[in-house]
Amino acid sequence: MYRRLRDLREDRDLPQRRLAELLHVSQATYSRYESGGLDVPSGALIALALFYGTSIDYLVGLTDEAEPYQR
């Protein structure tokens, strides 16, 4: 999961600071999310899935299908 978060961010050329702002956490906290030093809270996973246009299942590695589920 942590590698996927970093890859998504890097693919979009975004600094960690930008995602930290989105999640209302410090850059150091977000860095620990990406490195696996902290578990990512469910609210943050929801925000990241919406931001990237994908599913939480994709973010956490339960599927390799990046497209979000249809509502």
Side-chain angles (χ1 to χ4, degrees):
M1 167 174 90
Y2 309 107
R3 171 79 185 193
R4 190 160 279 179
L5 290 176
R6 186 178 75 222
D7 289 346
L8 284 166
R9 180 182 56 78
E10 289 177 346
D11 288 348
R12 289 160 178 79
D13 295 321
L14 297 168
Q16 286 183 341
R17 176 185 39 78
R18 172 66 180 99
L19 279 296
E21 290 169 359
L22 171 80
L23 301 175
H24 306 286
V25 297
S26 70
Q27 184 274 326
T29 296
Y30 185 80
S31 176
R32 292 177 67 198
Y33 291 163
E34 282 191 5
S35 70
L38 278 177
D39 287 332
V40 184
S42 58
L45 286 173
I46 292 167
L48 289 167
L50 291 170
F51 179 79
Y52 288 124
T54 191
S55 68
I56 293 172
D57 283 357
Y58 179 75
L59 292 179
V60 300
L62 292 176
T63 182
D64 289 328
E65 180 61 46
E67 292 296 315
Y69 301 114
Q70 299 298 321
R71 294 180 187 194

